Every structure is written in structure tokens, then in C-alpha cells.
Amino acid sequence: MENFWSLQLGVIFLLLQVWASGSCEAAPPCQPGFNLDHSVFRVDRRHLPQGWIVGKVTFDDCTGRKRFLFISEDSRFQVDLDGNIKLKRAVTLHEGHTSFAVHAWDSNGKKLSTRVTLENESGSHSQHLTPGDTAGQVESSSDVPVLVFPQLSPGALSRQKRDWVIPPFNIPENAKGPFPQRVVQIKSSNAKEVQILYSITGPGASEPPEGVFTIDRNSGIVYVTQPLDREAQDQYVLMAHAAAVVGGKAEDPMELIITVFDQNDNKPEFIKDTLLGSVSEGSQPGIQFMKVVAIDKDDPLTYNGQVTYSILNQDPKLPNDNMFMINSQTGAISVASPGLDRENYPEYKLIIQAADTQGQGLSNTCTALITVTDSNDNAPQFVKDSYTVSVPENKVGYVVVKIPVTDNDKPHTPAWNTKYTIVKGNEGGFFSVSTAPNKMEGIITTAKGLPLDKNNKHTLLVTVENEVPVANRVPTATATVIVQVLDVPEPPVFNPTENVIAVSEDLPVHSELIEYTATSGPDLAKKTVWYRVGSDPAGWLNVSKDTGLIRVKSPMDRESPFVRDGNYEALILAIGNDEFPVTGTGTLIIHLEDVNDNAPTIDQREITFCSEDPQPVQLSFTDRDGPGNAGPFRVEVRGCSRNDWTVETTPGVHLTLKSKLEQDEYPIVLRVYDTGDKFQDSVVLMKVYDC
């Protein structure tokens, strides 16, 4: 570590002193800079070991100095103070070459650059480096670099402090120690005359994070006390101070910049481990449809922090294993080959790798799940291409035919759903076509009644399409429907069409009610008519199929909710037995005569009385029978309760407390009679209060 710092900083103070000592005399004709804008060094192998010197750059700042501070843009290479380029770690020239910039500063603080290229080229006349070459070993001083506070000569007093540019010091992150390690020694030019005490201030020294850097107050040696993490803080800006023990400040404060040199200690991290994307089937190569993103916390200006993307695996590998490609720099995923087909390969899984160091360093992976979406590349097809059907005359809304179709696209999408058109044969507007609820069937119905005339046959041409256009040009499927119009006989007619009868509600089961028949139409013989019940809400009736005789099937009840105003209504059907059955309808109204088959009940379930001066309470009743079988009602108090309670029936029915009772609840039994002496006992709770 000490060699590393000495190679970087050993003569920085000379650079600053030469800059400060400029005089008013004209400078000799010299142009600072590297001797070459681009240096090419050739080696005889692709794998270069750590410690090799691969070449040397030459720099002149027109001051006569031979040693300079160099900075390599590629963190794998170190440039020593004498210009030797040395490998900090083993390097493989994967592409046979690599190139990077090297920077240095002239005496005025101006940064100058050159480019260095390494090439693996066998047979070159250039010097080849092998493990036995002495050029691979470098000796350097172990002294810590010294940085002297700048001094202005009298001829340069007009220069401003802000013109000073002091190159930063580079410290690699994650150093293994031992600590503390020496970084640089600061020195005052007045140290020979007076005793100087040195100090450093700023974040990392006297401010948080405190104690990362310390200084020996007497020698001026600056130490780093712990491993550094570039991702936590990549630069420290300190102020160096020199003060005389006697007399105070010896120098103006000097800025000391320490840059943390990046090591490849972070692998790329994907923002999401699993990403979902979709691409339309039939997409052409080059169509970009999704993007993955990975972040590397290392220095983005070096290969350590630059991410390279690649596809490691595709599943399934059909129709070939190169269906997708990824932009190695941006992570954009595109279609690479034609042939995406949802019906055969609806989903793909890609394993994506993100790696630093040009794809050869630390790496991580994520999964991209790609759904191939439907693009309507399959047109619907009729199951059959022709139908012949018969339709009765004069029927509106009659279902002529249902025409099923098939479609290989994704179900229940606009590319699968269908719509139908009658393109020929419907000039009279007799037919309409609609789509069934399942979206895969066309339904043709009559829009108007078809007349029976000379033109008793209609030939319809029907087409089917999806709700969205087909992606490729294919013929539209068609089906032919031939419709024959058939003569339909007139339906039977009931006489009368509404038949009213009156019977007692307690008529026994199986009793005959009425023979309700219909007259055949002119096209039907009487024997071809048969009967059935069309509507019987309470299920009380049955009808003879052959004769139309109606009987009681189950007990009838005038108080049923199906009875309105004492009337029960049923529909009787007379059906002509023909190829196209025709039906006549008759309405049977049964007036149910009331019988006393329901006992009355008391409406109240609880009644309140005062124990003192109780007032009579009027009772109310319910009887489901008709007026002749209901009230007037009379009431009896049953059991021992008659000792304390009495009923008065004029006017109305009133219950009265006739004895003084304690505050309590008293259940009593009341028997209620209707006008036909049909009765029912009810329990009523009497609540007596002191009031």
C-alpha cells in the first residue's frame, strides 16, 4: 500500500512549487503533453498476469521533471510516476485488445490525456513481454508521498488561490490493512525555520464520518484508519492546516481531495426478479416489447459499474431457440425471429443475465415471462356449409336455424367472438340473424311472417366474421340456408273462449267440473285434437287428453292466495296433432263458493290493564271465511280465569278486569266462536300494572 501511494504522490509538491515559482521572463518554446496521442502496445498472449508492465507513456510538462502523477481510466491498470503501465490484477483480452485513457497534469494544473491500446498480436516486431522479462518487476521507493503547501513567488502575486489545481489522491476501496495506513505527508516550506503542527479538518476527519482520516501533528503524515467503501462515499475533501508552535498560522489552508478508487465488489441487481411482458403473435423481428433494468452500485464510469445484458435460456426452444434478443446495453427485449404463434406456444420464459466488466464479471439473473397475445390470425369457420330447414307460414320470431362455427383464436376475446350477416336472399326483409350468447353460433329468425305463395322457398347466403379484423388475408366463410315455407292448419277454437263455473270450495277430489272442448280448424279432423292443462297455479285440476273433461285433482280452498275475489283462473289447451302442432287456448274461471272451514282467531297476543280502575279493552278478530261464515263473534273466558275476567259483547267485544290483581302477568284462555259456532281457543297474556 505504501508503494502505491508513493508511486502516485511522491513529487506532487514539486509540481506545485514549479507552478508557483513562475517568473515574468518568457518561457522557452515548449508544449506540455504526452509524446503520443495514442500508444499501442502488443503482447503475445490473451491472459496477462498481475504485476506485468505492458508499456510506458512519456509526458513532459516543460519543467524538466521526469516523474508525474498519472491516472488510468481503466481500474485494472496502474500508471507509476515514471510512466510504466502495470497490471493491478490479472487481465484477459477477451476480444484480443483493450483501450483506455491515461491522464496527467501540467505545471498549471491543466489535465492532459492520451489513449493506450493493448493488442494480442503474434508475430509482431514489437517487444513481447513474457513472465521471465525483467520489465515485469518494478522497484519503487517506500517513502510516503509528500505534498508541500504552495508558495507564491513575488512575480506571481497576482495569481488567485482559486487558480490552484491539486490532483486528487486515489485510495482503493476494500483495502485489507493493516490499519492505519499512510496516505500522504503534508509539509510546510517553513518547517526548517519554526516548529510546525499539522491538522486536517472536514468530513471524514473532524466532521462525520469522523476519524476515517487522521494526521500525525508533528510529521504531517495523513493516515486512513479503516477500509473505505466507494459506494458509501466516493470522495473526501479535507483541508490541511499548518500552524507554527510560536506565532500561529504558518500556511494558508490547502485543499486535500482523496478519491476512493473503485473495486468490483457489487454485482448487478435487477429492479424486479420476475418481469411480465406480452407480445402479439406474428410480430416481426425487431419489434421491441419490454425492458429489464439492473443497477450496479460500482463506479458507472468504469466497467465495474457498467451492466451488460444477455439471454441465458429460452423455454420452450420452439419454433427455434432464438425467438428473442436483448440489447446488451439497454436491456430492451425484442423479437428476433418470425413465427410467434399463440395457438402453439402461448408463453415463453427467458432467463436474463446482467453482468459487469463487459459481461465477464459479477452477474445476476432474473426471469422474464412473456405472454404471446392473440392477434386474430384465425378466421371463424362454419361447422357445415349448407342447411335445409322448414318453417311454418306466418310465424314471427320463429327460430329458423342455429349455425355453429369454430375459431382457433383465444376464446372470449374480440378475435374469437363472431358476428353474422345475411348477404343474399333476404331482399324482402323476412329474416334476421343474431349472435348467440356463447358468441360461437348464428341464430336466424323470422322478422316477418312468411306467406304461403308461389315463392315458398328462400335461399339465404350467410357470412361470419370476428368482432375485429383478421390479421392476414383469408376468405370469409359462408353458409347456405334453404328455407321451405310450410302450410300450417288453423288452431282449434274453444267455445266459449272463457268459461265460468261455480262450485263449492270443499268439492271432493276426483269430482267432475266440466267438459271443456274446442272445435277443430278447417284443416284438422276432430280426432286429431287433444287437451292438456296450460296454466293451473295451485295444481288443483287435471284434464282428459281425449275428451277435455276437467276433474278436481287436489282439494280446493277459497282462501288460497291463488284465488282473487273468490275466482280461480286456469288455462286449458287444445292442440292439433300435426307436423306443425297448432294450439287453441280456453280460459276456465272457477267461482269457489265459501264454506265455514276456518275458525276465528284473536288478533291481540298481549293486553295491558291497570290494577286500579281498569278500563275495558276491545278485542279484534280474524276469520278467513267469507262474510256469511265469519262474524259476529262471541268470546268465552275459559278455566279459572273467568273469576277475574269478563267479556261484554255489546257493542263489540270487550274484555274487562273484574277483580283487583297484583302487578304481574296472567295468561288466560279465550274461546272465540264465529257465526256458525266454529271456534278456536287462543292464549292471551294479560299484563297488570300499578298505575
Side-chain angles (χ1 to χ4, degrees), residues 406-643:
T406 61
D407 194 308
N408 291 328
D409 288 312
K410 185 177 180 180
H412 310 296
T413 65
W416 182 83
N417 297 340
T418 54
K419 58 183 182 179
Y420 304 83
T421 306
I422 301 175
V423 297
K424 188 177 180 182
N426 193 29
E427 289 76 9
F430 289 104
F431 303 93
S432 64
V433 63
S434 61
T435 303
N438 64 9
K439 301 295 185 180
M440 295 300 290
E441 191 175 57
I443 302 176
I444 299 178
T445 57
T446 54
K448 297 188 292 187
L450 298 177
L452 186 64
D453 52 23
K454 294 181 180 180
N455 183 24
N456 62 353
K457 184 174 77 170
H458 301 264
T459 301
L460 308 178
L461 185 63
V462 184
T463 62
V464 60
E465 298 174 300
N466 292 122
E467 292 179 353
V468 295
V470 180
N472 45 7
R473 292 186 177 181
V474 294
T476 301
T478 61
T480 300
V481 178
I482 299 174
V483 181
Q484 296 281 355
V485 182
L486 297 181
D487 184 17
V488 177
E490 297 296 330
V493 178
F494 280 94
N495 186 22
T497 57
E498 184 175 284
N499 204 339
V500 180
I501 62 175
V503 297
S504 176
E505 66 171 322
D506 61 352
L507 196 66
V509 174
H510 304 306
S511 297
E512 295 182 1
L513 293 175
I514 190 174
E515 186 175 287
Y516 193 20
T517 60
T519 303
S520 305
D523 301 321
L524 288 173
K526 184 174 182 179
K527 64 180 180 180
T528 62
V529 177
W530 52 274
Y531 301 91
R532 68 180 180 86
V533 176
S535 174
D536 179 17
W540 291 339
L541 309 176
N542 63 21
V543 61
S544 171
K545 177 180 178 181
D546 299 321
T547 67
L549 177 62
I550 301 172
R551 297 175 182 269
V552 178
K553 184 173 70 173
S554 60
M556 298 182 290
D557 184 5
R558 180 183 175 280
E559 290 71 43
S560 167
F562 298 107
V563 176
R564 298 287 183 270
D565 298 326
N567 294 325
Y568 179 73
E569 185 173 305
L571 294 181
I572 308 300
L573 305 180
I575 303 168
N577 187 12
D578 196 67
E579 180 181 359
F580 289 98
V582 288
T583 302
T585 303
T587 301
L588 177 63
I589 299 176
I590 303 174
H591 180 74
L592 295 173
E593 297 173 345
D594 188 34
V595 296
N596 193 7
D597 56 350
N598 293 282
T601 60
I602 297 177
D603 295 338
Q604 292 99 326
R605 288 292 175 261
E606 295 180 358
I607 301 176
T608 301
F609 285 89
C610 289
S611 60
E612 297 290 343
D613 190 21
Q615 298 299 311
V617 174
Q618 184 171 353
L619 301 178
S620 60
F621 308 93
T622 297
D623 193 320
R624 297 175 61 198
D625 289 324
N629 293 310
F633 304 100
R634 58 189 178 88
V635 179
E636 291 179 356
V637 180
R638 305 294 294 173
C640 298
S641 300
R642 64 168 59 95
N643 297 327

Side-chain angles (χ1 to χ4, degrees), residues 153-209:
S153 65
L157 291 177
S158 61
R159 298 178 183 177
Q160 303 295 318
K161 287 182 183 179
R162 58 182 174 84
D163 294 332
W164 288 101
V165 179
I166 300 176
F169 297 91
N170 291 329
I171 300 179
E173 65 174 334
N174 305 322
K176 297 185 181 300
F179 294 98
Q181 293 180 347
R182 294 188 294 175
V183 178
V184 65
Q185 182 181 18
I186 60 174
K187 189 173 182 181
S188 170
S189 58
N190 299 319
K192 294 181 179 180
E193 288 77 21
V194 296
Q195 182 182 356
I196 302 296
L197 295 179
Y198 300 95
S199 63
I200 54 175
T201 59
S206 61
E207 302 174 19

Side-chain angles (χ1 to χ4, degrees), residues 148-417:
V148 179
F149 282 88
Q151 297 293 318
L152 293 177
S153 65
L157 291 177
S158 61
R159 298 178 183 177
Q160 303 295 318
K161 287 182 183 179
R162 58 182 174 84
D163 294 332
W164 288 101
V165 179
I166 300 176
F169 297 91
N170 291 329
I171 300 179
E173 65 174 334
N174 305 322
K176 297 185 181 300
F179 294 98
Q181 293 180 347
R182 294 188 294 175
V183 178
V184 65
Q185 182 181 18
I186 60 174
K187 189 173 182 181
S188 170
S189 58
N190 299 319
K192 294 181 179 180
E193 288 77 21
V194 296
Q195 182 182 356
I196 302 296
L197 295 179
Y198 300 95
S199 63
I200 54 175
T201 59
S206 61
E207 302 174 19
E210 298 172 296
V212 178
F213 298 95
T214 61
I215 189 170
D216 186 312
R217 290 176 58 81
N218 295 308
S219 67
I221 297 177
V222 177
Y223 296 89
V224 60
T225 64
Q226 58 189 265
L228 302 181
D229 183 0
R230 190 203 69 84
E231 288 70 48
Q233 186 164 344
D234 61 356
Q235 188 180 76
Y236 296 85
V237 180
L238 307 176
M239 297 302 295
H241 307 270
V245 174
V246 179
K249 184 175 72 172
E251 305 283 358
D252 287 335
M254 176 175 61
E255 189 177 65
L256 180 62
I257 301 176
I258 299 174
T259 300
V260 183
F261 198 74
D262 187 42
Q263 300 291 328
N264 194 15
D265 58 345
N266 290 280
K267 65 181 180 180
E269 297 288 345
F270 283 96
I271 294 178
K272 293 183 178 179
D273 293 333
T274 301
L275 295 97
L276 304 179
S278 61
V279 60
S280 177
E281 65 178 334
S283 295
Q284 295 303 306
I287 297 296
Q288 176 183 325
F289 60 90
M290 68 180 299
K291 184 178 182 180
V292 298
V293 177
I295 304 298
D296 195 311
K297 295 180 181 179
D298 289 318
D299 189 351
L301 300 179
T302 69
Y303 291 135
N304 295 340
Q306 296 174 3
V307 178
T308 299
Y309 299 94
S310 60
I311 298 176
L312 298 183
N313 186 58
Q314 170 192 306
D315 181 33
K317 302 181 184 298
L318 296 170
N320 65 68
D321 60 357
N322 187 35
M323 294 302 296
F324 304 96
M325 59 184 176
I326 190 169
N327 187 304
S328 63
Q329 302 302 312
T330 66
I333 300 176
S334 306
V335 178
S337 302
L340 290 174
D341 186 352
R342 187 202 66 82
E343 287 71 40
N344 291 315
Y345 315 110
E347 185 176 89
Y348 289 88
K349 180 171 75 173
L350 303 182
I351 304 300
I352 309 295
Q353 175 180 273
D356 56 24
T357 320
Q358 296 182 294
Q360 304 300 318
L362 302 178
S363 64
N364 213 335
T365 62
C366 77
T367 301
L369 299 178
I370 301 171
T371 300
V372 181
T373 59
D374 198 9
S375 66
N376 197 17
D377 57 343
N378 295 281
Q381 301 295 322
F382 286 105
V383 175
K384 292 171 56 178
D385 57 8
S386 65
Y387 296 83
T388 300
V389 295
S390 297
V391 176
E393 61 175 326
N394 299 320
K395 292 286 186 179
V396 178
Y398 186 86
V399 176
V400 177
V401 68
K402 295 181 179 180
I403 314 173
V405 297
T406 61
D407 194 308
N408 291 328
D409 288 312
K410 185 177 180 180
H412 310 296
T413 65
W416 182 83
N417 297 340

